[in-house]
Amino acid sequence: MRIVVMGPSGSGKSLVGAAVAAALRAEFIDGDDLHPRANIAKMSAGVALTDADRAPWLDAVAAALHRPRIVVACSALRRAYRDRIRSLAPGTVFVELVVPPAQLRTRVSRRDHFMPATLIDSQLATLEPLASDEAGFRVANDADLPAVVARITALVTGQSLR
């Protein structure tokens, strides 16, 4: 089981990802913890990452996905990033958390994190939603945590919601 909970900053990747991992009795890794220090410094300064900045981070995410029963929170905003992860960690399923842009800005502005709210627009400009030919699901993060986790676990395990 290899799952990436993806989306822009403020979409709930870490909170939802950890809860999904707990529900599935899997390990959870926050992709933010895999960023090189230089990436964190750039984002903290309000500078968007380039694809070259992201490459070693995406490789680290893919390496983490080789652990058994793993859920990783990772923005994976572009198809090329997801393709890179999939090429290094075949069988990875992506769960894109969908949240309205205004709500993303509000969430990010209220938290203590290296990613400032000023970078939300660059993330949204970069975002390529999960395509129908990609292994995974788009899930609205529009309910309480247990309901969102139930949706996701039902989708990834092939169960129907009752």
Side-chain angles (χ1 to χ4, degrees):
M1 174 189 326
R2 294 178 173 153
I3 300 170
V4 172
V5 177
M6 60 166 282
S9 189
S11 61
K13 295 181 299 292
S14 299
L15 181 66
V16 172
V20 167
L24 297 173
R25 295 188 177 113
E27 181 182 0
F28 174 73
I29 296 176
D30 192 322
D32 285 347
D33 296 337
L34 302 175
H35 269 295
R37 289 183 189 189
N39 285 8
I40 292 173
K42 264 183 121 167
M43 288 183 285
S44 295
V47 178
L49 298 179
T50 65
D51 285 353
D53 295 328
R54 287 185 184 96
W57 173 62
L58 294 169
D59 293 349
V61 167
L65 286 162
H66 284 277
R67 298 178 188 194
R69 300 190 64 79
I70 185 76
V71 176
V72 178
C74 170
S75 56
L77 297 174
R78 292 185 58 223
R79 170 105 187 216
Y81 307 159
R82 297 187 296 272
D83 288 346
R84 184 180 186 120
I85 291 169
R86 272 191 293 265
S87 73
L88 298 170
T92 298
V93 173
F94 290 84
V95 177
E96 179 185 353
L97 297 177
V98 180
V99 177
Q103 192 174 9
L104 293 173
R105 289 182 194 91
T106 299
R107 288 178 177 184
V108 172
S109 68
R110 291 183 178 163
R111 68 182 191 185
D112 181 26
H113 190 267
F114 62 79
M115 176 65 128
T118 55
L119 289 180
I120 293 296
D121 288 335
S122 73
Q123 287 211 327
L124 292 172
T126 302
L127 177 63
E128 295 172 359
L130 198 63
S132 61
D133 66 332
E134 294 182 84
F137 311 95
R138 298 185 79 223
V139 177
N141 188 2
D142 62 355
D144 63 12
L145 183 61
V148 174
V149 170
R151 286 180 202 161
I152 294 168
T153 57
L155 288 167
V156 300
T157 62
Q159 299 174 0
S160 64
L161 290 174
R162 298 173 218 255

